[in-house]
Amino acid sequence: MTDFTMLTDAAGVATITWDVPGRSMNVLTLEGAEQLRRLFETALEDRAVRGIVITSGKDSFAGGMDLSVLATMQAEGPEATFEGIMAMHRLLRLIERAGMDPKTLKGGKAVAAALPGTALGIGLELPLACHRIFAADRPDAKIGLPEIQVGLFPGAGGTTRLVRKLGVMGASPFLLQGKLSDPKAAQAAGLIDAVVADPLAAARDWVLQAAEGDLVKPWDARGYKVPGGAPYSPQGFPTFVGANAMIAGQTWGAYPAPKALLSAVYEGLMVPFDTALKIEARWFTHVLMDPSASAMIRSLFLDKEALEKGANRPALPEARVRQLGVLGAGMMGAGIALVAARAGIAVTLIDQDQGAADKGKAYTQAYLEKGVKLGKTSEAQMQEVLDRITATTDYAALSQADLVIEAVFEDPKVKAEVTARACAVLGPEATFASNTSTLPISELARASTDPARFIGIHFFSPVEKMALVEIIRGKDTGDAAVARALDFVRQIRKTPIVVNDARFFYANRCIIPYLNEGARMVTEGISPALVEHAARMLGFPVGPLQLIDETSITLALKIAGATKAAMGAAYPADLAAVDALMERMAGEGRLGRKAGAGFYDYDARGKRQGLWSGLVPEGKGRPDPDLHEVQHRLMFVQVLEAVRALEEGVLLDVREGDVGAILGWGFAPWSGGPFSWLDLLGTPFAAETCDRLEAAHGPRFACPALLREKARRGGRFRTAMAEAAA
Ligand code: NAD
């Protein structure tokens, strides 16, 4: 069984079909690339072959490179990686030149790619080396180069070819943001040549009638000039100045790949095409050797996919949700109804009065109307989704529900009341879930008729944007409820983690110390701008002070009050200064972004201005600490909480700890997550740093026994990418 096969028809068209046995989507391996090379050489040598079509035997073209290839390259080191990439460049160059004389550019055979569906990564880089690309007219297909999203950039000529095809500006959304397009949009952008009903037939027709001139890529033709201008041209120069600033502004220097990509483009455009490929290969090697790339691939691709496929699902029959009940049609309930209805689930949305329930449904309408305006959704599709939501006050409508999620006020009494009312009408197989952020699941379960069917399904706000869902197993929660919750999360295409019940579960448990540490540094007289910038330079999407403003000082005070009440004398004394600062802010009416004033000032339209000048004490005498000190405090205070969650059995799987942190609160994605970050630092250094921070700042930095133990043996929390990919 081979990945590629070739068949030549009577007209002289050799069709090379990519169809990796036993996989739903093609991925390229080194053996596959070798098979393709041999077949292509055979076709070039065969006088009976007039033209070549490369296609796929599946309903998509290809999903990309097999990640185990990248893992192996990385393990073998930079020389082997560079050589491996250059071999790929030689193969694609062989396809692109297709036997033509390098001087006269004559005598080549026409090569077309026929894409039946999705074509990603190397699945687009290979077609880009062909002379024409035909794609099937399928709006569900995705075409693009998503490598940047996992800490890499297109390294099989995709960068060099796309920039030369579209110019720096034209190529930048596809390279720098990894933008994916449907075939029609890809054609409009110039990524592919034609969208047709039958791409294989169109490709075949084209290779039979292609003229010699059609086979020469612009960059191989004499007098080629890159669209939009080369780096040292009056047109091109400002592009690079702007692109540099834009990347620095977006990444704060935290990610190696975008900078390397831009270097490959800039340097590559000053030399001939084949040298540019070599430069691209060097920069790609540089990025692949950076431990950040493997950490990102592992967490954001391999682990995420494993969790979505149910890595921690109890082995029980599938328990999909056909009918969902949502109690509370406020901000969260309305969002949950929206994502469920969009996933094809019938939703009963209940609130205290019909007006509130209708308002919750109107949220879905407003969301979809935006989609209609942008041409992403049709009126009919919008109506179909809206028809799935029934807004009502009648609990009897829940009798057929497979799952009910309550998202009423964060008040145990209100929650107990709605739980009892729903349980009274639910069938014996139905699962009841709470979306609480702070209340213990095991206690809320007492209001249910069957605590084994009671579970936490914790969404993040805004529901329609946030990819993570935290599933919380209460003391008595049964496996069937976990399986049901996981199947539901899969239906709505989000990423689940499953944790045990404990104060603030996992995500909020780690994020609250991050917010407190930021505020605490302000109380110590450290410049607020340093705190915020230190966080952004670590790759956090927002600094801790901005995040407090977003979630509101009212909420911070509420959580502090509830925590104090629950912990009593055990409430950490070192939070007194933070609480005092929050109270002072509240006293001055600075309650956060919604109030128009908080750690930041806001203009009348709510746009963030600068940091509030009242934060810095007059005549602040002490110099600011070193940037790294601030960054270590911000990182360790969260990461140690994650380690403690693992130690205490709240978190059961380090993969969930890493993926949950990145998707849940934007934890430094370049690091691969808190556990990957400790491995990047090296556990011995991490433990030493804890000791130093504990001595300087207090017991919250005390090294957990689990980390100490790993440090003693020079151990790691995570396995290498190669093992994860195996
Ligand atoms: P919200 O105030 O926007 O909505 C609550 C809704 O519940 C309101 O529409 C209210 O009328 C309704 N409600 C109250 N009592 C009811 C009853 N007896 N029967 C039916 N409906 C009733 O609140 P929210 O922000 O959507 O939060 C809801 C829940 O989700 C809370 O438990 C909260 O902790 C949790 N949560 C919130 C967030 C967030 O960021 N806001 C994130 C995760 C979880």
Side-chain angles (χ1 to χ4, degrees), residues 602-616:
Y602 298 84
D603 69 11
R605 282 176 301 148
K607 191 163 184 276
R608 203 158 28 83
Q609 306 293 301
L611 280 150
W612 176 40
S613 56
L615 281 176
V616 186

Side-chain angles (χ1 to χ4, degrees), residues 75 144 195 200 219 267 287 325 388 434 442 489 505:
V195 180
L200 190 55
W219 42 91
E267 293 163 20
V287 167
R388 288 196 196 110
S434 173
S442 310
V489 173
F505 318 130

Side-chain angles (χ1 to χ4, degrees), residues 636-717:
F636 272 98
V637 83
Q638 309 171 60
V639 167
L640 296 182
E641 213 45 62
V643 175
R644 283 180 212 118
L646 184 66
E647 232 170 27
E648 292 165 16
V650 173
L651 195 62
L652 300 166
D653 181 336
V654 280
R655 292 177 299 181
E656 293 182 312
D658 274 352
V659 173
I662 299 175
L663 300 187
W665 74 95
F667 180 94
W670 58 269
S671 71
F675 296 100
S676 294
W677 183 71
L678 286 171
D679 287 349
L680 288 182
L681 277 192
T683 50
F685 176 73
E688 269 170 40
T689 310
C690 287
D691 294 341
R692 195 177 54 71
L693 290 173
E694 184 188 7
H697 304 288
R700 64 188 179 282
F701 291 108
C703 182
L706 183 61
L707 173 57
R708 181 79 69 202
E709 178 52 29
K710 297 242 184 238
R712 197 168 293 134
R713 293 179 289 115
R716 302 166 57 90
F717 282 91

Side-chain angles (χ1 to χ4, degrees), residues 572-639:
D574 63 3
L575 281 175
V578 173
D579 294 344
L581 171 65
M582 298 296 179
E583 268 152 29
R584 184 188 136 211
M585 307 262 312
E588 301 204 27
R590 304 196 69 92
L591 291 172
R593 185 173 58 79
K594 277 200 187 131
F599 283 95
Y600 286 82
D601 290 322
Y602 298 84
D603 69 11
R605 282 176 301 148
K607 191 163 184 276
R608 203 158 28 83
Q609 306 293 301
L611 280 150
W612 176 40
S613 56
L615 281 176
V616 186
E618 290 274 336
K620 164 174 146 30
R622 226 155 38 109
D624 274 329
D626 180 72
L627 170 70
H628 286 114
E629 174 77 4
V630 174
Q631 290 185 320
H632 272 157
R633 285 179 65 175
L634 291 174
M635 285 296 257
F636 272 98
V637 83
Q638 309 171 60
V639 167

Side-chain angles (χ1 to χ4, degrees), residues 256-337:
K259 215 168 142 191
L261 164 75
L262 200 62
S263 300
V265 170
Y266 180 80
E267 293 163 20
L269 281 176
M270 290 192 261
V271 292
F273 186 81
D274 287 295
T275 313
L277 288 179
K278 244 189 230 172
I279 290 174
E280 185 193 290
R282 290 214 187 279
W283 278 114
F284 185 85
T285 304
H286 171 80
V287 167
L288 191 66
M289 290 304 121
D290 191 305
S292 160
S294 44
M296 278 179 85
I297 293 172
R298 190 180 51 209
S299 296
L300 289 171
F301 198 88
L302 300 170
D303 296 345
K304 182 172 167 286
E305 198 173 74
L307 297 178
E308 285 163 2
K309 285 191 174 158
N312 293 323
R313 186 189 185 278
L316 289 173
E318 196 181 33
R320 285 166 74 83
V321 174
R322 279 154 298 129
Q323 295 219 18
L324 173 75
V326 179
L327 310 183
M331 187 166 92
M332 299 304 287
I336 296 168

